Amino acid sequence: MAPQFTREWTGINTFAPATQTKLLELLGKLKQENVNSLTILVMGKGGVGKSSTVNSIIGERLVSISPFQSESPRPMMISRSRAGFTLNIIDTPGLIEGGYINDMALDIIKRFLLNKTIDVLLYVDRLDAYRVDNLDKLIVKAITDSFGKAIWSKAIVALTHAQFSPPDGLAYDEFFSKRSEALLKVVRLGARIKKDAFQAAGVPVVLVENSGRCNKNDSDEKVLPNGIAWIPHLVQTITEIALNKNESVHVDKKLIEGPNPNQRGKLWIPLIFALQYFFVMKPIEGLIQNDIQNESKPAWELRDAASRRRNRY
Amino acid sequence: MEEVEVFQEAMEPKDHLDDQEVKDNHGDAVVDKGDDAATVNASPLTVLDEAPSAAQNTDKFEESIGVAEESAQDNEKVELVASDEVGKVGQEPPDSVHLDGVDSGGTGREVSCDESSNIIDDGLQRSELNGVQEQSDLNTDEETVAQENGAMVDVDSGLVSEKSEDEDSGFVTPRENGGVIWENRSTEKVDDVVPEPNTESEFNKMSNQDFDAGDLKESNFDPEFRGNNTKEQLNASAMPYSESQDNAGEEVHENSALRNSELPEEVITDLKDNTLDIDINNEGTAGDEISSSFGQSTKCKDYNNVDANDSKAGSDSEDQEAVGEIGGTSPDIHDAMEDRELIQATGSSSSLQNSTADEIPVQITAADLKGLKDDRSQVSAVDNHGDQGLSSVAGEHEKIQEINAKEKETTQATRDQNSEVASSSGKPVAASNPPVRPAGLGRTAPLLEPTPRTVPQPRTNGTVSNTQSRQTEDSSNGETEEYDETREKLQMIRVKFLRLAHRLGQTPHNVVVAQVLYRLGLAEQLRGRNGGRVGAFSFDRASAMAEQLEAAGQEPLDFSCTIMVLGKTGDVVGTVQGIKVRVIDTPGLLPSWSDQRHNEKILHSVKRFINKTPPDIVLYLDRLDMQSRDFSDMPLLRTITEMFGPSIWFNAIVVLTHAASAPPDGPNGTASSYDMFVTQRSHVVQQAIRQAAGDMRLMNPVALVENHSACRINRAGQRVLPNGQIWKPHLLLLSFASKILAEANALLKLQDSPPGKPYTARARAPPLPFLLSSLLQSRPQLKLPEEQFGDEDSLDDDLDESSDSDDETEPDDLPPFKRLTKAQVGQLSRAQKKAYFDELEYREKIFMKKQLKEEKKQRRMLKKMAESTKELPSDPNENVEDESGGAASVPVPMPDLALPASFDSDNPTHRYRYLDSSNQWLVRPVLETHGWDHDVGYEGLNVERLFVLKEKMPLSFSGQVTKDKKDANVQMEVATSLKYGEGKATSLGFDMQTVGKDLAYTLRSETKFSNFRRNMATAGLSFSLLGDALSAGVKVEDKFVASKRFKVVIAGGAMAGRGDVAYGGSLEAHLRDKDYPLGRSLSTLGLSVMDWHGDLAVGCNLQSQIPVGRYTNLVARANLNNRGAGQVSISLDNDDDDDNVRVLKLHDLQRIMQEVLGVMDCAHVKVVGASDIAH
């Protein structure tokens, strides 16, 4: 799956030198593992900052962002190569419309992803929302239904708007852990993964702050309130996920269209037929025979039958 | 100075101006003036952005009038010409300007101005717009700077310029958001301008002559504060004139050049001083954009001028409507205010919302404003000191900003007037109130324009407002005691509100406070017939009283406000304190569809709770920093709407929490401005609410809230938003303002929902006239099947009896007569033919008479038989058998219904047939004959049946259901009658029908008794339930049959509901032919009177059918009502004896008389000829 048009990843130069160094280091690590390309799928609700995150990772202003307008309902793949390594990021539109999952948007995304391999899923939500609701669950469910449960072993939850001070009396880390806990629970429930399996999968949660107002540390890196430079951290997490032992999810026709309902349960047909034959047809036949023998025929029919017999002879 | 005097002179004669002149000018402006005008206009206007354009025009127009007068006196022709031009120009393209600023502007960013320019609905103006553009192109070089200004104004609200001071005039413009500042500024301006107008004009001169970048600096524009710029813009606008002087050769500039050279500087001075306008594009329902322009201009240099303007404003008010119609825009508003700067300022505060214009449609209807306008103009006419004349012509949707502006005007005006009164000199004294600006509050206030509660007024059109104004004038000298009482109460409300405001640390100059006060005044004026003086003094008094009470600090404040908080989960509300405020916090609601069940449960419990303690205000909470652009809250909003009804939104304030969050990055990576962010976000939420409530006029005020502990805190420990607003008092003030206005509305009964149940469906006054007229309708008494021989009343029968004894020629006595065939008739000579037809007619007549007589005889016999059978014990089934035997036992197709009068062949009527079966239920389709061509006319079904209860009580049931593409109508009627004794009967009926969107149930009963032989009296009662309004009515009817030929029915009644009473009466007289029923002539006179709300409606109609010739009838109909509308129609029906039936509708003359006995101009004469040949 060679990306159609891969440009040199120049955006990396816009990062602070420290960030650049870390990123290149990570890329080198990937190359060591013989990973030459990485495909990241970004999904989430509308308006949480998916496109901004993509822009932040790439370091270019690729996806146009307008705060109040709805984005175009098309997914978009951005491919950048650097030193023989190709990074593909697929930005998707928000999945929610009017309180429902937008099935059309989901369908478009699925078709777009056909024959692509997803190495990492970046599930984006906001850090500064207080509660989770059914919508989140719906999205997770939609993603699971589309790409299978396995996708969550390649998933990262990204929380945007990370530069934020939690409401009264809560420490930042505490808030963050509560929020990520809540979100992960939603993911687990929505994906219908068993608790143990989910914990084993260990979906990491990373923080993202795309705003231009993001604080910077001494080496001009964008840092979170907890002092972590988030871009390297995010890329590092991505690398880890990409390199974990789980298989990347290859999107093929089967995955998109789901199992063919015509094939389901075909195996049972002979068995059912046999059962029918022995337990339905046979008893009924017997009953009929029985009935015929016991039948009391009217006189004229007997006579008729007799005459027929006579005629025959 | 001298020039200024000249100008004053010019202004003085203005009060001689009458409507006509103004009108003429308008007319000219719209019709005659072509591109020249536009271009002249353009040059000053290029620099202006959408806001001030129209007013400037208006202003110029006024000037021109003034100048024209003056020139008439002084015989200065040139000036006259120039001014005429100017005048025309002035009125002409008030809307057409904005594009310029944008297109030719230096930075040339496209802003919403484009939209607003699109709104211009008439082509003329559009073409002029082009003209303007061209011209501006021509001028680009010279005007670059000015255009830059314009552009800057348009560009974006993020730009906040720091200074726009005019050094010469020494204005200080505190450059912060918010209208409050304007007051300060304005008063200062008054200082400057009024005592020494000279400086102004000089300054102008200067600005004209040395026009350079220096000027520009002065006119830094803050786009959000257009108002600020008014002055500067005007300066800028003066610039082109000077330039045009230079370029006098250029055609485009001819006019302006002319004017410039001829007219002294006042023109410009005034231009500069007094213009202000708002031209807002309005997002109306269904995305329609209606532009309403609202211009204000003030003229007065001193009192004399005020007079002039007053009278003018008064006289203009009517013209304005005409102008509005002609031009499609509403360009005219004259404000005769003493301190025009005030207006300017206020206007500016409203115009600064152009950027947010979409979001604040006004819920007040045009009628309101018009009424206001009229009141105002009257006020000013009355007041020699002339405080304000204000008039506006606006589209259906108005901007709240306008109201704001006006409100401020009022308050300010009154303030200033007070100061004048105090000084008691005839001279304008600088109103130098120390402008106290509440700290921080000025800034966002304009963004959060609170919509004071809607005054739910029915949409009315110009006529109504006219009558309103008339009423106002008529009753202006009468001041009833009741009204005094109301006023006193209103005054108390005002005091209460001022005290509330005071406690919240707001001065009366706060936008919200001013607005509420204004609205109170407005309500008072609308309510109280005598407009005028209230505004000026009551505010004063209230203010004083409030201060006094607050200073004493002991008087408990009798005010409590119950606030309900609704919203999604995760929203936190801060604590509120101070005045008795009760907050009903509700559990969080969830946005997704699947959660709506959960929400419903919560809301049900909320509903139960608030049934006991209804909230005054509902706060709908959402987060400011959530960009819900995917309508994800729609399910939630809909659920709320379903639970509480759309009316919940009428009292709702949108509260955006997390208001301290930083705005998101804009498209180019730079952070967008906070105000923009708030505006956008408010817009989204408001729009969502609008959609959920299904009312596009809805305009919920928005308040910002930040509960975070890290929120910036001012010295007093109050939380301050990024825009400097202290939110808590603001939120409370908004809530209280809504509550106060609701109280005032309840007091004044401005057709608002009663305070007891705020969230039931909006209580509407029942359509009493409609119910009454259906009550007054004379209904024939229901009869038993065996009695139903003729549709005549028994009364007639009795009368007929006498004539029966007449000996008439029996047809059998006559010699035998044979009808001739058509061919034979053709062979007859003319005389023979006539004789033949006469004979034929005579015989037919006799034959019919005989038939009638026999029928009557039969009927009498049956009656007797029925009476005799009644005495016999009869089998109950017998009747049924009889009935079933009566109708066809085999279903047969009924005859087709008449074809609609249509010329096309594919009328589908024949496809729909129905059968007449033996079934007692009579089912028929309902045909709409006036539908569209090619349309199936059947829109419904009609079911009828007549039952007989206990063999003597007929019970009829009829129901009809019609449904077309738009709406479904159900109509059901059950009626029964009981006859007891001779000539006495009581009938009882139950009707059900759709009225609008509601079902109306009516129970009626009436008793007839025939007290004399020729007289029948009826008394009736009826109760109707429409929506939740029960109305009851009584009627008395008398039917007098003078002779066989003449019959009169008089009915009178009253209907009361919701404290409203409608009275009505009707008279109906029939005059029949001598030998009825054979003769065809028939005349009917109907008269109806209806009195509702003091509004008397009299209608009269006359119908007459006169036989003309043998086979032709002339049918004449006429009707007329007391509004002067009527119709006359004459038609000729020819009923030829041939097998052909020709209906020749010869002549349908329709005349709509505009005024009673007005000029009988034939609106149109329609000649319809239709010939239908049928067998």
Side-chain angles (χ1 to χ4, degrees):
Chain A
M1 55 148 271
Q4 320 81 336
F5 184 67
T6 309
R7 292 225 313 256
E8 187 69 16
W9 188 3
T10 50
I12 203 168
N13 298 328
T14 60
F15 292 133
T19 309
Q20 280 188 43
T21 323
K22 282 180 210 161
L23 290 189
L24 290 175
E25 201 177 291
L26 290 168
L27 294 190
K29 201 170 147 195
L30 281 169
K31 284 196 77 175
Q32 271 176 12
E33 303 280 333
N34 264 341
V35 180
N36 285 327
S37 83
L38 194 64
T39 306
I40 304 170
L41 173 64
V42 184
M43 292 191 98
K45 269 194 281 198
V48 293
K50 291 184 299 297
S51 302
S52 303
T53 307
V54 170
N55 287 345
S56 293
I57 296 173
I58 298 283
E60 295 170 38
R61 192 150 289 279
L62 286 160
V63 190
S64 71
I65 299 158
S66 40
F68 295 100
Q69 281 149 28
S70 206
E71 63 255 89
S72 64
R74 307 219 143 265
M76 199 169 143
M77 179 148 118
I78 297 130
S79 301
R80 290 290 178 272
S81 70
R82 176 87 182 191
F85 177 81
T86 310
L87 180 70
N88 303 310
I89 302 185
I90 299 164
D91 185 26
T92 61
L95 284 177
I96 295 292
E97 194 174 293
Y100 282 120
I101 292 285
N102 186 346
D103 284 325
M104 202 175 76
L106 189 64
D107 203 52
I108 291 171
I109 293 171
K110 282 199 275 188
R111 292 195 183 289
F112 183 84
L113 291 173
L114 187 61
N115 293 327
K116 293 191 174 69
T117 305
I118 302 165
D119 298 310
V120 174
L121 166 73
L122 205 59
Y123 178 75
V124 185
D125 205 343
R126 291 178 71 138
L127 174 66
D128 61 346
Y130 296 139
R131 290 174 208 189
V132 289
D133 55 40
N134 256 345
L135 278 183
D136 299 306
K137 216 189 223 172
L138 286 177
I139 295 177
V140 171
K141 194 166 168 290
I143 294 173
T144 315
D145 290 346
S146 307
F147 307 112
K149 283 179 193 175
I151 191 99
W152 293 107
S153 61
K154 294 300 242 177
I156 298 171
V157 174
L159 295 176
T160 58
H161 298 79
Q163 181 165 302
F164 135 92
S165 48
D168 313 54
L170 266 179
Y172 184 82
D173 287 329
E174 198 184 339
F175 182 85
F176 168 57
S177 65
K178 279 192 172 163
R179 171 84 179 135
S180 45
E181 205 175 285
L183 257 183
L184 287 177
K185 194 178 170 205
V186 161
V187 169
R188 183 168 59 78
L189 294 176
R192 283 166 311 214
I193 302 175
K194 285 204 186 81
K195 206 168 182 179
D196 312 340
F198 190 74
Q199 265 158 6
V203 177
V205 182
V206 291
L207 291 170
V208 167
E209 176 54 65
N210 299 307
S211 165
R213 288 188 196 78
C214 187
N215 289 336
K216 298 194 171 158
N217 64 8
D218 303 337
S219 47
D220 208 25
E221 288 179 297
K222 286 184 173 180
V223 289
L224 300 170
N226 57 10
I228 300 170
W230 68 267
I231 293 179
H233 181 245
L234 173 64
V235 177
Q236 192 188 352
T237 318
I238 289 172
T239 320
E240 280 164 16
I241 289 292
L243 293 179
N244 73 3
K245 52 205 175 300
N246 295 309
E247 276 289 301
S248 297
V249 177
H250 182 71
V251 183
D252 53 15
K253 231 178 167 74
K254 196 176 129 205
L255 193 61
I256 289 176
E257 287 170 0
N260 186 350
N262 287 336
Q263 297 295 327
R264 199 161 53 182
K266 258 187 176 174
L267 200 74
W268 297 97
I269 291 175
L271 186 68
I272 291 171
F273 180 74
L275 284 174
Q276 274 184 343
Y277 183 78
F278 289 108
F279 294 101
V280 180
M281 282 169 66
K282 283 291 171 192
I284 287 176
E285 259 176 30
L287 283 174
I288 291 170
Q289 292 295 336
N290 204 13
D291 209 35
I292 287 172
Q293 272 160 20
N294 296 341
E295 192 182 22
S296 58
K297 284 182 180 168
W300 62 266
E301 202 177 330
L302 292 172
R303 190 193 60 210
D304 210 36
S307 72
R308 228 179 306 155
R309 237 175 280 138
R310 232 178 293 131
N311 287 349
R312 210 181 292 159
Y313 304 115
Chain B
M1 195 63 206
E2 192 186 318
E3 285 161 354
V4 173
E5 278 166 14
V6 173
F7 170 67
Q8 285 176 0
E9 265 176 44
M11 291 305 296
E12 275 182 31
K14 246 178 162 181
D15 49 0
H16 302 304
L17 284 173
D18 57 3
D19 307 356
Q20 203 49 50
E21 199 168 326
V22 180
K23 206 170 188 173
D24 283 346
N25 271 324
H26 287 301
D28 283 349
V30 177
V31 180
D32 294 337
K33 259 331 204 181
D35 285 346
D36 284 1
T39 49
V40 173
N41 213 2
S43 55
L45 287 175
T46 34
V47 285
L48 299 174
D49 95 303
E50 41 188 337
S53 61
Q56 187 173 3
N57 294 338
T58 319
D59 195 41
K60 275 193 278 170
F61 167 62
E62 283 193 11
E63 273 163 42
S64 72
I65 291 170
V67 180
E69 279 295 317
E70 187 224 4
S71 60
Q73 290 175 350
D74 296 354
N75 293 328
E76 290 178 16
K77 261 186 193 166
V78 191
E79 275 189 10
L80 178 63
V81 171
S83 64
D84 257 351
E85 303 266 25
V86 177
K88 288 161 184 173
V89 170
Q91 283 309 310
E92 174 87 77
D95 272 351
S96 60
V97 197
H98 354 137
L99 259 190
D100 280 9
V102 179
D103 287 348
S104 53
T107 41
R109 242 182 256 171
E110 289 201 346
V111 206
S112 59
C113 308
D114 291 12
E115 261 176 43
S116 56
S117 70
N118 286 338
I119 312 158
I120 303 165
D121 48 350
D122 76 359
L124 188 67
Q125 285 189 349
R126 211 172 267 266
S127 68
E128 282 157 15
L129 183 64
N130 297 335
V132 173
Q133 263 180 309
E134 282 169 27
Q135 200 268 342
S136 72
D137 288 342
L138 281 174
N139 285 341
T140 330
D141 292 339
E142 302 125 18
E143 292 177 4
T144 18
V145 199
Q147 281 163 359
E148 250 172 50
N149 285 343
M152 276 164 67
V153 175
D154 286 342
V155 170
D156 85 294
S157 50
L159 255 151
V160 181
S161 60
E162 287 310 310
K163 68 169 203 177
S164 72
E165 284 88 316
D166 194 326
E167 294 124 18
D168 288 44
S169 44
F171 298 151
V172 184
T173 56
R175 186 47 72 106
E176 294 185 34
N177 303 345
V180 184
I181 314 147
W182 288 107
E183 294 156 13
N184 317 345
R185 187 188 149 110
S186 53
T187 44
E188 281 166 28
K189 276 194 182 179
V190 172
D191 284 347
D192 281 332
V193 176
V194 181
E196 26 178 16
N198 212 4
T199 52
E200 289 264 4
S201 62
E202 272 169 16
F203 164 69
N204 272 320
K205 228 183 248 173
M206 192 196 71
S207 73
N208 275 340
Q209 286 155 5
D210 3 273
F211 149 65
D212 59 6
D215 267 342
L216 274 188
K217 263 185 225 155
E218 287 171 13
S219 47
N220 278 336
F221 291 132
D222 173 4
E224 297 196 16
F225 305 127
R226 302 273 156 72
N228 269 345
N229 309 327
T230 327
K231 189 174 143 290
E232 286 80 22
Q233 285 166 353
L234 290 168
N235 287 343
S237 75
M239 293 160 193
Y241 292 143
S242 57
E243 282 155 19
S244 62
Q245 265 179 332
D246 300 342
N247 302 324
E250 249 182 271
E251 202 195 306
V252 272
H253 283 159
E254 240 170 34
N255 287 328
S256 58
L258 182 67
R259 190 172 51 161
N260 242 341
S261 51
E262 302 297 335
L263 290 178
E265 294 292 332
E266 307 98 68
V267 175
I268 293 149
T269 316
D270 280 302
L271 203 68
K272 174 177 162 284
D273 293 340
N274 308 329
T275 37
L276 158 66
D277 168 31
I278 309 156
D279 180 1
I280 305 149
N281 59 347
N282 185 356
E283 229 177 65
T285 46
D288 275 354
E289 290 186 358
I290 302 152
S291 111
S292 62
S293 66
F294 166 80
Q296 301 165 315
S297 59
T298 51
K299 265 283 114 160
C300 16
K301 286 272 176 185
D302 61 12
Y303 283 138
N304 303 334
N305 291 337
V306 174
D307 275 358
N309 266 329
D310 284 347
S311 61
K312 188 168 182 304
S315 63
D316 269 351
S317 55
E318 282 176 11
D319 290 339
Q320 280 151 7
E321 281 164 23
V323 174
E325 279 171 18
I326 296 168
T329 53
S330 46
D332 205 19
I333 289 171
H334 304 286
D335 237 32
M337 249 186 94
E338 218 165 31
D339 16 54
R340 51 202 178 279
E341 263 71 34
L342 283 184
I343 286 200
Q344 197 171 348
T346 55
S348 66
S349 76
S350 55
S351 71
L352 57 84
Q353 264 114 35
N354 276 345
S355 56
T356 67
D358 313 341
E359 293 150 34
I360 313 185
V362 160
Q363 295 155 356
I364 196 165
T365 55
D368 256 330
L369 280 176
K370 279 179 184 165
L372 161 76
K373 164 190 76 188
D374 292 322
D375 285 347
R376 283 300 161 84
S377 48
Q378 207 206 331
V379 176
S380 49
V382 169
D383 255 346
N384 260 345
H385 294 278
D387 26 29
Q388 70 272 68
L390 162 68
S391 53
S392 75
V393 176
E396 267 184 15
H397 290 254
E398 287 277 12
K399 291 287 144 191
I400 187 72
Q401 289 98 324
E402 295 171 17
I403 291 176
N404 292 342
K406 286 183 207 157
E407 276 183 56
K408 288 189 100 190
E409 281 158 34
T410 355
T411 52
Q412 287 161 2
T414 50
R415 192 161 44 110
D416 283 40
Q417 201 191 16
N418 297 335
S419 64
E420 281 157 25
V421 170
S423 72
S424 76
S425 69
K427 288 281 172 186
V429 177
S432 52
N433 294 6
V436 187
R437 192 170 72 81
L441 236 158
R443 272 184 85 186
T444 37
L447 276 173
L448 318 168
E449 269 337 301
T451 313
R453 281 172 49 85
T454 322
V455 182
Q457 287 221 333
R459 281 195 197 180
T460 40
N461 49 17
T463 42
V464 173
S465 68
N466 257 346
T467 51
Q468 242 179 10
S469 69
R470 250 176 247 145
Q471 278 176 0
T472 321
E473 281 159 26
D474 289 343
S475 55
S476 58
N477 29 8
E479 195 171 303
T480 59
E481 283 178 18
E482 181 201 358
Y483 176 57
D484 262 349
E485 202 175 295
T486 316
R487 247 176 78 175
E488 212 43 58
K489 279 185 190 156
L490 204 65
Q491 187 69 6
M492 289 323 292
I493 290 179
R494 203 176 266 133
V495 171
K496 204 194 282 180
F497 182 66
L498 281 167
R499 290 180 64 190
L500 286 172
H502 185 267
R503 289 198 182 184
L504 294 170
Q506 312 292 325
T507 63
H509 313 311
N510 177 289
V511 186
V512 179
V513 179
Q515 198 173 335
V516 170
L517 289 174
Y518 171 74
R519 283 196 62 106
L520 287 175
L522 174 63
E524 193 173 355
Q525 283 177 10
L526 282 176
R527 177 68 184 173
R529 302 262 161 102
N530 114 335
R533 280 160 241 178
V534 270
F537 298 108
S538 48
F539 168 76
D540 218 18
R541 232 156 22 102
S543 180
M545 204 187 288
E547 266 171 38
Q548 195 186 331
L549 286 171
E550 281 302 307
Q554 288 153 356
E555 188 89 3
L557 185 52
D558 175 31
F559 182 82
S560 68
C561 189
T562 308
I563 299 173
M564 182 167 78
V565 183
L566 280 179
K568 275 189 289 187
T569 56
D571 296 310
V572 191
V573 202
T575 53
V576 272
Q577 56 192 6
I579 303 109
K580 210 196 284 174
V581 176
R582 209 161 58 88
V583 180
I584 305 170
D585 196 4
T586 62
L589 305 170
L590 300 169
S592 88
W593 272 114
S594 43
D595 291 324
Q596 294 311 307
R597 291 292 296 276
H598 168 77
N599 288 349
E600 272 173 31
K601 260 186 233 160
I602 292 174
L603 290 175
H604 263 302
S605 62
V606 169
K607 204 174 178 183
R608 272 199 300 278
F609 186 77
I610 67 169
N611 270 344
K612 281 174 262 164
T613 50
D616 301 308
I617 304 299
V618 173
L619 303 184
Y620 176 74
L621 270 75
D622 202 349
R623 285 179 65 157
L624 176 68
D625 60 342
M626 279 297 184
Q627 300 160 33
S628 63
R629 51 191 175 191
D630 46 11
F631 304 108
S632 54
D633 294 341
M634 202 41 83
L636 169 61
L637 292 173
R638 281 201 200 287
T639 310
I640 295 176
T641 314
E642 277 163 25
M643 292 297 296
F644 298 105
S647 55
I648 193 170
W649 300 114
F650 297 142
N651 257 353
I653 297 173
V654 172
V655 177
L656 296 174
T657 57
H658 296 77
S661 32
D665 292 354
N668 50 3
T670 57
S672 50
S673 83
Y674 181 78
D675 287 339
M676 182 93 133
F677 177 46
V678 172
T679 307
Q680 292 263 29
R681 191 70 186 102
S682 321
H683 181 66
V684 170
V685 180
Q686 285 171 332
Q687 187 62 32
I689 288 179
R690 243 173 265 163
Q691 257 178 36
D695 186 351
M696 285 301 152
R697 292 167 301 167
L698 213 54
M699 187 69 250
N700 296 100
V702 177
L704 297 175
V705 161
E706 178 54 70
N707 297 305
H708 201 286
S709 52
C711 180
R712 197 151 59 94
I713 286 175
N714 69 1
R715 266 177 243 150
Q718 293 164 303
R719 286 178 178 166
V720 184
L721 299 180
N723 60 4
Q725 190 189 22
I726 306 168
W727 61 263
K728 203 186 282 178
H730 185 79
L731 174 63
L732 288 176
L733 189 65
L734 271 184
S735 313
F736 297 157
S738 290
K739 169 86 194 276
I740 283 280
L741 285 169
E743 268 180 26
N745 278 343
L747 176 66
L748 295 171
K749 297 191 191 84
L750 281 174
Q751 295 178 13
D752 204 62
S753 54
K757 32 178 179 175
Y759 298 128
T760 51
R762 194 80 76 86
R764 269 183 312 149
L768 292 180
F770 167 74
L771 296 173
L772 182 59
S773 65
S774 84
L775 171 67
L776 286 182
Q777 208 173 39
S778 168
R779 286 186 175 77
Q781 194 196 334
L782 201 62
K783 288 178 184 154
L784 288 169
E786 59 262 31
E787 286 173 335
Q788 290 181 327
F789 299 109
D791 41 8
E792 290 306 308
D793 281 336
S794 55
L795 212 58
D796 293 344
D797 286 351
D798 298 342
L799 282 172
D800 285 347
E801 273 174 53
S802 54
S803 62
D804 280 349
S805 54
D806 298 356
D807 234 18
E808 297 256 335
T809 334
E810 290 290 314
D812 303 340
D813 300 345
L814 293 170
F817 178 82
K818 192 169 142 260
R819 277 191 80 145
L820 301 177
T821 62
K822 206 174 163 187
Q824 283 169 319
V825 171
Q827 285 165 6
L828 295 173
S829 71
R830 183 168 288 188
Q832 279 173 321
K833 216 184 254 178
K834 190 171 179 294
Y836 166 73
F837 279 127
D838 282 348
E839 180 68 23
L840 188 67
E841 200 181 355
Y842 176 66
R843 285 187 179 247
E844 269 175 1
K845 223 176 236 177
I846 287 176
F847 182 67
M848 274 166 73
K849 257 184 198 166
K850 192 191 163 198
Q851 271 188 329
L852 271 173
K853 210 183 266 176
E854 271 170 9
E855 213 171 87
K856 229 172 258 173
K857 230 182 256 170
Q858 212 177 349
R859 201 187 304 171
R860 229 170 284 150
M861 245 169 67
L862 271 168
K863 219 183 209 170
K864 269 178 208 155
M865 269 171 63
E867 272 162 17
S868 61
T869 49
K870 236 178 245 171
E871 285 149 21
L872 297 171
S874 62
D875 185 20
N877 294 330
E878 191 185 30
N879 206 1
V880 180
E881 275 167 29
D882 271 359
E883 275 173 6
S884 59
S889 50
V890 177
V892 289
M894 290 285 275
D896 283 340
L897 291 177
L899 292 166
S902 162
F903 288 109
D904 76 88
S905 58
D906 60 347
N907 194 297
T909 321
H910 63 275
R911 293 186 211 144
Y912 302 89
R913 294 181 178 228
Y914 56 103
L915 300 176
D916 179 21
S917 70
S918 58
N919 197 334
Q920 284 299 298
W921 289 95
L922 185 60
V923 182
R924 277 177 304 193
V926 177
L927 181 71
E928 169 59 61
T929 46
H930 302 292
W932 298 99
D933 284 356
H934 308 279
D935 195 11
V936 178
Y938 294 107
E939 291 187 335
L941 215 59
N942 185 6
V943 180
E944 276 181 36
R945 168 143 195 201
L946 185 75
F947 301 91
V948 178
L949 297 179
K950 290 188 179 174
E951 287 179 47
K952 56 179 186 179
M953 273 180 68
L955 174 79
S956 88
F957 169 88
S958 70
Q960 181 167 319
V961 182
T962 51
K963 164 103 187 76
D964 62 10
K965 282 165 192 158
K966 270 197 219 140
D967 37 25
N969 282 303
V970 180
Q971 217 171 342
M972 203 199 80
E973 189 175 340
V974 181
T976 181
S977 78
L978 180 65
K979 213 169 170 182
Y980 43 88
E982 208 33 51
K984 281 185 194 139
T986 296
S987 50
L988 193 72
F990 175 74
D991 293 354
M992 186 175 92
Q993 62 174 314
T994 39
V995 175
K997 281 183 177 168
D998 285 325
L999 268 180
Y1001 306 92
T1002 308
L1003 188 67
R1004 58 183 158 73
S1005 157
E1006 56 184 51
T1007 303
K1008 285 185 192 200
F1009 48 94
S1010 145
N1011 38 8
F1012 298 104
R1013 189 156 174 245
R1014 289 161 177 261
N1015 193 21
M1016 179 171 274
T1018 309
L1021 255 173
S1022 109
F1023 298 94
S1024 298
L1025 183 71
L1026 176 62
D1028 56 350
L1030 182 71
S1031 16
V1034 283
K1035 81 156 178 183
V1036 179
E1037 185 187 296
D1038 195 74
K1039 183 172 173 182
F1040 178 69
V1041 184
S1043 70
K1044 216 173 128 187
R1045 291 186 59 198
F1046 186 64
K1047 184 169 89 172
V1048 188
V1049 182
I1050 303 172
M1055 196 95 193
R1058 280 269 153 96
D1060 235 353
V1061 189
Y1063 302 95
S1066 71
L1067 180 136
E1068 209 178 303
H1070 297 265
L1071 181 65
R1072 288 177 176 139
D1073 200 300
K1074 266 202 305 290
D1075 42 354
Y1076 172 83
L1078 299 179
R1080 291 173 309 204
S1081 96
L1082 170 72
S1083 297
T1084 314
L1085 170 76
L1087 202 73
S1088 74
V1089 184
M1090 186 76 70
D1091 183 16
W1092 189 42
H1093 279 321
D1095 189 11
L1096 191 71
V1098 183
C1100 164
N1101 73 68
L1102 187 69
Q1103 179 172 355
S1104 192
Q1105 176 179 318
I1106 306 154
V1108 178
R1110 192 167 286 139
Y1111 304 114
T1112 313
N1113 284 332
L1114 182 74
V1115 181
R1117 290 186 195 89
N1119 62 54
L1120 184 72
N1121 65 18
N1122 64 338
R1123 302 252 160 84
Q1127 194 179 17
V1128 178
S1129 100
I1130 301 164
S1131 66
L1132 210 57
D1133 289 356
N1134 187 359
D1135 186 10
D1136 208 325
D1137 197 37
D1138 289 347
D1139 285 345
N1140 303 345
V1141 178
R1142 260 190 218 118
V1143 182
L1144 194 66
K1145 211 171 191 186
L1146 241 193
H1147 204 134
D1148 185 299
L1149 190 101
Q1150 198 172 28
R1151 217 173 256 169
I1152 294 155
M1153 286 165 278
Q1154 295 292 347
E1155 285 294 325
V1156 191
L1157 305 176
V1159 192
M1160 300 277 278
D1161 60 332
C1162 221
H1164 64 276
V1165 178
K1166 212 165 74 180
V1167 180
V1168 179
S1171 176
D1172 231 53
I1173 296 173
H1175 279 275

